[in-house]
């Protein structure tokens, strides 16, 4: 890993001096000072990719058609994806919705966001009243702690939520998991159940956000008075001000074993471990590809990391100074082997480590992003928020193959940030 830094600095100095003498027979002096400070700070942050397939557009169905399955969501009963084209629903986002017949439910674990010790997790979903139904009956929306299996928050959706809406419309439903020291790091799941005995409902545009809040207040007051019959005073004032600033514009963050070269392998051989990286899943390790897999072999050095079905690698980087407004970039070379299929993968960047880490941004990779038999540059670029700068001093970088079969390879990982100008 190499490191490069660009630094700018400036200094200015000014000086002023004055002297005055005054003599008088009577002088009265009075001073009163009052200071009051009140600060209230609140920041909300939307979390991308916290739900896979949040608007149910992954499964493409024809206008007016439906299917009784939905990618990334667990369902029970008659449920699936529907493309309304006859004013059945006024779709909120995209063209399709999740439909739930009477008694059916759908659920998904929230990705990359867990109960926090310093922020409230907010979840929202749009619930739809089908235009061909005489009225909206009832639906239950629950936010569940996946560790304790207890309901954290719950909304019973009834006709009351559609009081100012009409058939075909969607009502916005919000739930929250408050900050908790005891439960911090525990996972969350959203579950939506059509609890009515008849009539269909729809779901669209599910999302997650975090809300950070801090507040401080300070006040002080001072008063004094004095008098004398005769006074002679001489005052001299000199002021000098000097200001300087120094900004490190570009900083490269060291990534351990960025090109996976710590293990020496011959062409075509592999091991089921990745030095300096943590792994998850069952098909992951270090591989030295030959010309059969890639005509130009590995982009940097000899080895790459390989990730198979629902498997990946991640690395935690600690003791960082995260600056509000700084632009962070995570990049790598991603490869699609000549001899193995590829469907989808994801690159993720988090602030924090372990169970309390929070997703900053991600990039999904599909066959349109890569070329078989070659590597392509991929990555994530984002800007740190005030909340992230306040509460975090570490990052987690992650690469995962999300397909059920096939493989992806990664090489030459790089992590850097650019500070905002002073």
């Amino acid at each position: 890993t190499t490191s490069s830094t660009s630094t700018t600095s400036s200094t200015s100095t000014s000086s002023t001096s004055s002297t005055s003498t005054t003599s008088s027979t009577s002088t009265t002096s009075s001073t009163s000072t009052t200071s009051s400070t009140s600060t209230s700070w609140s920041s909300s942050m939307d979390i991308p990719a916290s739900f896979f397939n949040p608007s149910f557009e992954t499964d493409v169905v024809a206008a007016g058609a439906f299917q009784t399955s939905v990618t990334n969501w667990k369902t029970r009963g008659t449920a699936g994806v529907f493309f309304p084209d006859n004013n059945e629903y006024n779709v909120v986002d995209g063209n399709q919705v999740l439909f739930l017949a009477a008694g059916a439910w759908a659920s998904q674990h929230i990705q990359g966001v867990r109960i926090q010790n310093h922020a409230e997790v907010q979840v929202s979903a749009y619930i739809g009243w089908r235009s061909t139904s005489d009225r909206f009956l009832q639906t239950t929306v629950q936010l569940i702690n996946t560790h304790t299996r207890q309901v954290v928050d719950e909304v019973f959706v009834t006709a009351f939520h559609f009081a100012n809406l009409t058939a075909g419309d969607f009502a916005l439903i919000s739930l929250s998991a408050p900050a908790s020291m005891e439960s911090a790091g525990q996972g969350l799941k959203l579950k939506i159940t059509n609890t009515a005995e008849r009539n269909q409902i729809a779901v669209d545009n599910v999302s997650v956000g975090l809300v950070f809040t801090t507040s401080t207040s300070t006040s002080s007051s001072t008063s004094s008075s004095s008098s004398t019959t005769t006074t002679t005073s001489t005052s001299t004032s000199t002021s000098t001000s000097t200001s300087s600033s120094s900004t490190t514009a570009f900083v490269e963050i060291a990534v351990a074993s960025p090109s996976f070269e710590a293990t020496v392998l011959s062409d075509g051989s592999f091991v089921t471990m990745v030095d300096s990286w943590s792994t998850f899943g069952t098909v992951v390790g270090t591989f030295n590809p030959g010309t059969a897999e890639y005509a130009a072999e590995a982009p940097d050095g000899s080895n790459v990391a390989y990730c198979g079905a629902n498997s990946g690698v991640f690395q935690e980087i600690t003791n960082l100074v995260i600056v509000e407004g700084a632009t962070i970039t995570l990049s790598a070379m991603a490869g699609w082997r000549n001899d193995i299929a590829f469907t989808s993968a994801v690159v993720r960047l988090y602030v924090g480590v372990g169970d309390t880490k929070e997703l900053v941004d991600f990039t999904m990779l599909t066959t349109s992003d890569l070329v078989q038999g070659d590597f392509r540059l991929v990555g994530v670029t984002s800007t740190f928020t005030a909340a992230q700068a306040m509460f975090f001093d570490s990052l987690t970088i992650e690469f995962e193959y999300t397909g059920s079969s096939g493989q992806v390879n990664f090489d030459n990982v790089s992590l850097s940030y650019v500070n905002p100008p002073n």
Side-chain angles (χ1 to χ4, degrees):
T1 303
T2 60
S3 175
S4 60
T5 303
S6 173
T7 303
T8 60
S9 62
S10 62
T11 303
S12 62
T13 304
S14 63
S15 177
T16 305
S17 177
S18 64
T19 303
S20 64
T21 302
T22 303
S23 176
S24 64
T25 58
S26 177
T27 300
T28 300
S29 175
S30 176
T31 302
S32 177
T33 302
T34 301
S35 176
S36 176
T37 302
S38 177
T39 303
S40 178
W41 179 83
S42 177
S43 175
S44 63
M45 177 174 61
D46 290 331
I47 309 298
S50 296
F51 284 101
F52 289 123
N53 196 15
S55 293
F56 312 100
E57 304 297 322
T58 300
D59 305 290
V60 179
V61 297
F66 69 92
Q67 67 178 41
T68 53
S69 63
V70 54
T71 298
N72 299 123
W73 290 80
K74 182 179 181 180
T75 61
R76 180 166 295 177
T78 305
V81 179
F82 175 43
F83 187 153
D85 72 336
N86 196 26
N87 298 317
E88 294 93 347
Y89 295 104
N90 301 319
V91 180
V92 176
D93 185 47
N95 297 314
Q96 301 175 169
V97 297
L98 166 70
F99 75 87
L100 298 173
W105 59 258
S107 69
Q108 186 180 149
H109 289 256
I110 300 177
Q111 309 296 318
V113 177
R114 298 173 182 266
I115 296 175
Q116 305 295 305
N117 59 9
H118 53 258
E120 179 181 87
V121 180
Q122 293 188 339
V123 179
S124 64
Y126 285 85
I127 305 298
W129 171 13
R130 186 174 172 122
S131 64
T132 55
S133 300
D134 56 339
R135 59 195 176 100
F136 187 91
L137 296 176
Q138 60 185 27
T139 293
T140 302
V141 184
Q142 296 173 312
L143 192 58
I144 300 170
N145 183 319
T146 58
H147 179 75
T148 64
R149 299 186 180 180
Q150 294 180 339
V151 175
V152 177
D153 197 6
E154 185 173 39
V155 176
F156 295 99
V157 186
T158 65
F160 170 80
H161 292 85
F162 292 85
N164 298 317
L165 301 172
T166 59
D169 286 342
F170 283 77
L172 176 61
I173 305 301
S174 298
L175 307 96
S176 64
S180 170
M181 292 291 291
E182 294 180 354
S183 301
Q186 295 174 3
L188 292 167
K189 176 175 72 173
L190 178 68
K191 183 177 182 180
I192 304 170
T193 307
N194 183 354
T195 48
E197 295 182 355
R198 61 183 177 89
N199 293 351
Q200 179 192 98
I201 66 113
V203 182
D204 199 13
N205 198 22
V206 182
S207 63
V208 177
L210 295 177
V211 176
F212 303 82
T213 304
T214 61
S215 63
T216 60
S217 62
T218 304
S219 63
S220 65
S221 62
T222 303
S223 64
S224 63
S225 63
S226 62
S227 64
T228 184
T229 56
T230 305
T231 182
T232 300
S233 64
T234 302
S235 64
T236 302
S237 64
T238 303
S239 64
T240 302
S241 64
T242 302
S243 64
S244 64
S245 64
S246 179
T247 302
T248 302
F250 175 86
V251 177
E252 186 168 351
I253 301 172
V255 176
S257 189
S259 293
F260 313 101
E261 300 300 315
T263 303
V264 178
L265 299 170
S266 58
D267 279 358
S269 62
F270 68 93
V271 292
T272 56
M273 54 83 69
V274 185
D275 188 76
S276 301
W277 292 75
S278 299
T279 64
F280 58 93
T282 58
V283 188
V284 60
T286 307
F287 174 50
N288 182 343
T291 54
E293 292 81 21
Y294 300 100
E297 303 188 38
D300 187 52
S302 299
N303 295 344
V304 298
Y306 72 87
C307 304
N310 302 307
S311 301
V313 297
F314 68 92
Q315 187 173 140
E316 298 175 341
I317 302 169
T318 58
N319 299 319
L320 300 175
V321 177
I322 294 178
V323 179
E324 178 187 358
T327 300
I328 182 79
T329 299
L330 167 64
S331 65
M333 300 297 289
W336 175 2
R337 288 174 54 159
N338 263 323
D339 57 336
I340 294 181
F342 168 84
T343 56
S344 61
V346 62
V347 180
R348 299 187 185 97
L349 173 66
Y350 300 87
V351 285
V353 298
D355 289 339
T356 58
K357 67 180 183 291
E358 294 171 6
L359 187 66
V360 175
D361 207 346
F362 77 108
T363 296
M364 292 293 298
L365 306 177
T366 65
T367 53
S368 62
D369 300 302
L370 302 183
V371 175
Q372 190 164 17
D374 205 354
F375 283 80
R376 288 292 182 268
L377 180 65
V378 299
V380 173
T381 297
S382 189
T383 301
F384 289 128
T385 66
Q388 291 165 349
M390 174 176 290
F391 292 111
F392 294 98
D393 62 357
S394 56
L395 298 171
T396 300
I397 57 178
E398 183 177 277
F399 302 89
E400 180 184 3
Y401 183 71
T402 52
S404 58
S405 62
Q407 187 184 113
V408 69
N409 298 151
F410 291 104
D411 197 14
N412 199 21
V413 179
S414 174
L415 185 63
S416 62
Y417 67 87
V418 178
N419 278 320
N422 285 346

